[in-house]
Amino acid sequence: QSALTQPASVSGSPGQSITISCTGTSSDVGSYNLVSWYQQHPGKAPKVMIYEVSKRPSGISSRFSGSKSGNTASLTISGLQAEDEADYYCCSYAGTTPYVFGTGTKVTVL
Amino acid sequence: QVQLQESGPGLVKPSQTLSLICTVSGGSISSGSYYWSWIRQHPGKGLEWIGYIYYSGSTYYNPSLKSRVSISVDKSKKQFSLKLSSVTAADTAVYYCARWGLDCSGGVCDGFDIWGQGTMVTVSS
């Protein structure tokens, strides 16, 4: 099972919106509404930001939203803030593997 | 509040077995609402799921590591353990334990909602 494909980096200015894509296949992202997203600051453990494609855990800002179309899931961060600068990883249930992560995206706030 | 804490040697020699323990505090490991997983992150790289164990002892491993991995649970100590045999430098990574929620009524489900802080393991002679 190959890693899901994410852009290596995405950047935006404070207040702007950015979108991170996560492309898989019909065996993972395309087959299950079980995509989650994680934020990881340097030297820290990942933190779940979105689960089941578009649900936010308690305490996660509404500036974070998720969606999916076909084999591609997306994480949108609106009203970008300096504290959002981090690495972001998607994860999908993949049946036999059964969890596969994305390659990771570094978000830079300009 | 549930917390996870990894522990174990930070240095392992090549060909030996890497052994780590994850201790669960603030909650039960015997709940049927979670899978307890090990995940690793190579230096400067992405995340790789290693495997999980259910409180009953049933396990599931990443096929790419299956021949070398074993995960066990000790409910009395509220711990689950990882053993990775025949390690090489390619197994050098930060190892995390994490919880996957199965019961949506309890909060986050179908996602890794709680993670340990991670422990760096270096494979070197």
Side-chain angles (χ1 to χ4, degrees):
Chain A
Q1 188 75 36
S2 299
L4 308 175
T5 301
Q6 298 180 231
S9 63
V10 174
S11 62
S13 299
Q16 287 187 329
S17 293
I18 61 169
T19 296
I20 303 168
S21 61
C22 169
T23 301
T25 69
S26 57
S27 298
D28 38 62
V29 176
S31 288
Y32 307 97
N33 288 324
L34 298 178
V35 176
S36 49
W37 288 89
Y38 303 86
Q39 177 192 65
Q40 186 179 34
H41 286 109
K44 300 294 186 181
K47 174 183 178 181
V48 63
M49 307 301 285
I50 295 287
Y51 66 98
E52 289 189 339
V53 176
S54 60
K55 298 179 180 178
R56 277 189 313 276
S58 174
I60 298 302
S61 171
S62 58
R63 299 186 298 105
F64 292 86
S65 62
S67 63
K68 191 188 87 167
S69 178
N71 295 338
T72 299
S74 299
L75 173 71
T76 297
I77 308 174
S78 58
L80 198 62
Q81 299 180 1
E83 66 207 48
D84 300 331
E85 187 162 293
D87 293 328
Y88 290 82
Y89 294 92
C90 60
C91 177
S92 176
Y93 181 76
T96 56
T97 296
Y99 306 112
V100 60
F101 285 95
T103 50
T105 298
K106 181 178 180 59
V107 169
T108 301
V109 180
L110 301 171
Chain B
Q1 181 172 341
V2 177
Q3 293 184 317
L4 305 181
Q5 177 68 58
E6 305 90 349
S7 59
L11 181 65
V12 181
K13 288 182 167 52
S15 80
Q16 293 191 341
T17 296
L18 177 160
S19 296
L20 296 174
I21 291 172
C22 181
T23 302
V24 180
S25 60
S28 173
I29 198 172
S30 299
S31 167
S33 298
Y34 306 104
Y35 288 146
W36 304 94
S37 275
W38 287 98
I39 295 165
R40 69 181 182 180
Q41 185 171 33
H42 295 102
K45 302 295 185 181
L47 300 163
E48 179 182 29
W49 177 76
I50 298 170
Y52 72 64
I53 190 164
Y54 193 48
Y55 81 104
S56 62
S58 62
T59 55
Y60 206 107
Y61 303 132
N62 187 322
S64 68
L65 298 169
K66 186 177 182 180
S67 63
R68 299 195 291 131
V69 173
S70 176
I71 299 176
S72 59
V73 65
D74 185 333
K75 288 179 282 187
S76 66
K77 294 182 178 179
K78 296 174 64 177
Q79 295 176 335
F80 62 105
S81 302
L82 168 71
K83 290 188 185 299
L84 182 65
S85 63
S86 304
V87 297
T88 68
D91 294 309
T92 293
V94 174
Y95 286 77
Y96 294 99
C97 54
R99 186 180 81 170
W100 175 275
L102 296 170
D103 178 8
C104 298
S105 66
V108 173
C109 61
D110 301 320
F112 296 104
D113 66 336
I114 296 177
W115 296 64
Q117 65 184 27
T119 186
M120 179 69 200
V121 178
T122 300
V123 178
S124 175
S125 55

